Amino acid sequence: MYTGVNGIKAVMALAHGNDAMDEWTKYEGNPVVNAPPSTYNTMDFRDPYIWKEGNKWKMIIGSGIASAGMGGALFMYESDDLVNWTYLNPFLLGHDDQDDAGRFWEMPVFLQFGEKYLLVINKIPWEGEPARALYWTGTYANNKFFPDYTVAKHLEITNGYLAPTVVKDANERYVAIGIIPGEV
């Protein structure tokens, strides 16, 4: 799954890789998610994060709410087959005046550690504030994330660690890789 952009509008699209994962074929039925939920006045829509829960695929997508007092947003979708997606609800809605997490969230990562969950987002640069990787710990129920605290914590100290991708290695250890801009 990836964000497809035509210069104006972002959509969620699907591609299939070969066994070596070095050649990719776009799904002919793209886009598989054509727009953010129409119930919100959103700012952009990008960066799907997908996991399997039971026999269902779950996906959160980064966005922001363009309304006073609101901030970043993650929207939750569900699918049986990675092709047909149903919007469920907001996974988490930010309030920039309360959580200091910015106006728009991108590159979400959602992981379980025992009974707790970790949600990582990148707030985009806004009004002189730099991009920043932030996180909350919390609980997950009914397709929503409930943070343990209001103000997001800083994932890094360089003020520039962007787009963290986290996976488990062959030894079941979590490994993260991201972008550190040259000016940091």
Side-chain angles (χ1 to χ4, degrees):
M1 188 71 76
Y2 64 95
T3 304
V5 181
N6 68 2
I8 299 170
K9 179 181 176 182
V11 298
M12 299 307 113
L14 187 62
H16 300 278
N18 63 6
D19 288 343
M21 303 297 272
D22 61 358
E23 292 183 25
W24 293 83
T25 304
K26 292 179 182 179
Y27 173 61
E28 291 181 15
N30 280 335
V32 294
V33 177
N34 195 36
S38 61
T39 52
Y40 294 94
N41 181 17
T42 58
M43 301 166 47
D44 212 341
F45 182 64
R46 61 177 179 246
D47 305 332
Y49 182 84
I50 300 172
W51 69 95
K52 195 154 192 189
E53 193 174 300
N55 62 349
K56 300 277 188 184
W57 291 97
K58 304 288 184 159
M59 174 171 60
I60 51 178
I61 302 171
S63 189
I65 307 297
S67 301
M70 297 302 293
L74 296 174
F75 297 112
M76 180 83 165
Y77 293 78
E78 182 177 80
S79 175
D80 292 325
D81 58 8
L82 295 174
V83 173
N84 300 292
W85 290 93
T86 301
Y87 170 67
L88 299 177
N89 50 254
F91 186 71
L92 181 64
L93 294 177
H95 300 275
D96 191 39
D97 57 343
Q98 298 170 20
D99 60 26
D100 196 32
R103 301 283 302 150
F104 180 88
W105 299 341
E106 60 184 0
M107 300 301 296
V109 173
F110 184 61
L111 302 167
Q112 184 175 6
F113 291 92
E115 298 295 313
K116 288 291 185 178
Y117 289 82
L118 173 73
L119 175 63
V120 179
I121 56 96
N122 273 251
K123 78 176 191 177
I124 63 165
W126 193 269
E127 296 179 354
E129 290 207 25
R132 189 142 218 174
L134 303 172
Y135 74 93
W136 293 271
T137 59
T139 55
Y140 169 65
N142 302 317
N143 299 307
K144 293 184 178 182
F145 179 71
F146 301 92
D148 289 335
Y149 36 86
T150 302
V151 177
K153 298 183 183 206
H154 295 243
L155 183 65
E156 35 67 28
I157 59 172
T158 63
N159 202 27
Y161 180 65
L162 305 175
T165 298
V166 183
V167 297
K168 278 189 178 180
D169 68 10
N171 296 317
E172 295 292 308
R173 296 175 300 188
Y174 284 103
V175 178
I177 187 170
I179 301 167
I180 299 176
E183 63 271 7
V184 174

